[in-house]
Amino acid sequence: MTETINGRTTLTTPFTEEDIRALRTGDVIYISGDIVTGRDDVHIRAVSEGMDLPAEIRGKALMHAGPIVTGSAEDGYSLVAIGPTTSMRMEKLEYDFIKKTGVRLIIGKGGMGKRTAEACREFGAVHCVLPAGNAVFTALCTEEITDAGWLDLGMAEAFWSIRVRELGPLIVSIDSSGKNLFEEKKKEYASRKEEQLQKISKRLETIL
Amino acid sequence: MTVEEKKNRLTDIMAAFIGYTAVHLPDDIVSKLEDLRDAEDDPAARSIYDMMFENMRLASQLGRPSCQDTGLVQFKIECGSRFPLIHQLKDILHDAVIKATAETPLRPNAVEPFDEINTGNNTGTGAPALFWDIVPDDESCSIYTYLAGGGCSLPGHAMVLMPGDGYEGVARFVMDRITSYCLNACPPLLVGVGIAGSIETAALLSKHALLRPAGSHNPNKKAAEMEKLLEDSINAVGIGPQGLGGSSSVLGVNIEYSARHTATIGVAVSFGCWTHRRGHITFDSDLGFITDTHAGFTYGL
Ligand code: SF4
């Protein structure tokens, strides 16, 4: 479901294909509902080792993140700090992960590559950037940890299920048409870099 | 105090200091971030800066780590040869990391290679990393702490250039990393460049460079000009906060060097993310201390 809350576009899980396909790169959105965390090891288990995820995530969101959590299964967990990790590390396995799980929204930092963009186009998903390093701000957008899976992977790599409320701002970086904001930015930066390197080489002659 | 009591006291202060640096960014980085925010023209980038400042405020208020990746703990130690706890310091810092991990809390990040087991307390083979420097005939001890996050360690790189590549080659080496890997490393970044004869010396110097304050300059005038040149050029690329575009890209560029081999230019670059958790604390022989990075840090008062 997509609605406007306090002037912000807010999507609630389960996301429909229509909700997701309406998003365009550069859009800023917030989400409420159920997300899970999964990074390198979760992808390896789900894709390379063919294991079933500890919980169903069809129509939900995946965050590339390793939180700081205190507490225990008996006494309940509390989430101290959470924020996205580098998404590109998951590029190799993300296509198959999206295909297998039906996840519709991926949250991370930095961009992702071609294969993920292909999966977004084929299966109706998006990748979004959540400004990273803001782990307390982001933790305060969460309500509770509803489940903990694969704890044997360690706190950072485990599969945490978390209920969130107006988590954001999320900036859409790959949309379901396959458009990729970071790939466009990279081209822009690379051409400015070449201009700058020419200037540097002239200036170095006078410095040295 | 007995040696045992002194040892406990230093362990406790260092654990508290490490925890403090995970929660509060160093004063120089906060003020540099303020400058960058105030100079930012792009409204989207400005709103990211606002989020960063709100996060810093919440982290301080709630006493929680400002970023969930509290990194691997590293220490650069300039220890006087007559510092009373010189023999115990390695154990002290090891225990301080374990204590800080439990009490702050820090995220356990240390994984033993091959066994692929997370040790759960941020220590392990060779961890925390200690970079020693012994200061002859001195009884104080100066310790730099650094929480090396994964995201900002990833773009780190070293190679040996040929003299013909010159300083242009050094500039290209740094800038190539900036426009590729660094978009994911949580810019605005502090850039540490090491120049030496081979990769390991250059790499260590690039990390030392990150421990210098943002806005400081290499004492060699030409090196300082190169720092400025790189800083201006990288800013002109306009990576902005989180790599999404903006008026600036870096908190600064710090260069450290040692004499190189006549036939090589070893160059390395290390990056510190905007959450640059660097600390510096100096102890006298009675364990009185001062810190020039975190004016707000107190212990046992
Ligand atoms: S790069 Fe730095 S700010 Fe970004 S997630 Fe890693 S530790 Fe946090």
Side-chain angles (χ1 to χ4, degrees), chain A residues 84-85 109 132-133, chain B residues 67-70 149-152 184-186 273-275 277:
Chain A
T85 191
K109 74 162 160 144
Chain B
C67 181
Q68 78 290 338
D69 183 358
T70 48
C152 50
N184 306 327
C186 292
C273 52
W274 76 265
T275 316
R277 288 141 312 166

Side-chain angles (χ1 to χ4, degrees), chain A residues 176-192:
Chain A
S176 63
S177 71
K179 210 163 168 249
N180 190 332
L181 184 64
F182 273 94
E183 287 307 311
E184 288 169 16
K185 287 274 173 204
K186 269 189 193 165
K187 283 183 202 140
E188 220 180 271
Y189 300 147
S191 87
R192 274 189 235 141

Side-chain angles (χ1 to χ4, degrees), chain A residues 15 17 20-21 36 38-39 42-48 51 53 56-64 87 90-108 111-128 159 173-176 178 180:
Chain A
F15 308 125
E17 181 161 2
I20 295 298
R21 291 219 182 258
V36 297
R39 31 193 272 166
V42 163
H43 284 74
I44 290 168
R45 280 197 175 170
V47 177
S48 316
M51 290 169 71
L53 289 180
E56 172 71 18
I57 61 169
R58 194 160 293 278
K60 297 180 183 171
L62 164 76
M63 183 158 160
H64 295 147
S87 290
M90 275 54 78
E91 170 64 17
K92 203 173 144 201
L93 301 177
E94 205 68 279
Y95 178 95
D96 290 313
F97 189 90
I98 294 171
K99 183 176 178 185
K100 172 174 173 171
T101 63
V103 69
R104 289 236 182 259
L105 192 141
I106 295 168
I107 302 164
M112 294 193 72
K114 258 206 189 115
R115 289 287 285 158
T116 302
E118 263 170 52
C120 287
R121 191 162 40 77
E122 276 177 49
F123 309 115
V126 290
H127 176 267
C128 299
F159 181 91
S173 78
I174 299 176
D175 65 25
S176 63
N180 190 332

Side-chain angles (χ1 to χ4, degrees), chain A residues 66 80 109 189 192-194, chain B residues 64 107 172 176 184 237:
Chain A
V80 176
K109 74 162 160 144
Y189 300 147
R192 274 189 235 141
K193 173 184 71 184
E194 293 305 327
Chain B
R64 299 192 198 178
R107 194 177 73 184
R172 177 169 285 283
D176 281 348
N184 306 327
V237 174

Side-chain angles (χ1 to χ4, degrees), chain A residues 20-31:
Chain A
I20 295 298
R21 291 219 182 258
L23 300 173
R24 289 291 163 266
T25 55
D27 286 356
V28 178
I29 60 166
Y30 292 76
I31 63 166

Side-chain angles (χ1 to χ4, degrees), chain A residues 68-69 155, chain B residues 15 18-23 65 67-68 70-71 73 96-109 120-122 147:
Chain A
I68 300 178
V69 176
M155 187 192 291
Chain B
I18 294 163
Y20 193 88
T21 66
V23 175
C67 181
Q68 78 290 338
T70 48
V73 190
V97 169
I98 293 176
K99 197 167 182 304
T101 301
E103 290 177 358
T104 313
L106 306 178
R107 194 177 73 184
N109 287 322
N121 64 13
N122 281 320
L147 304 183

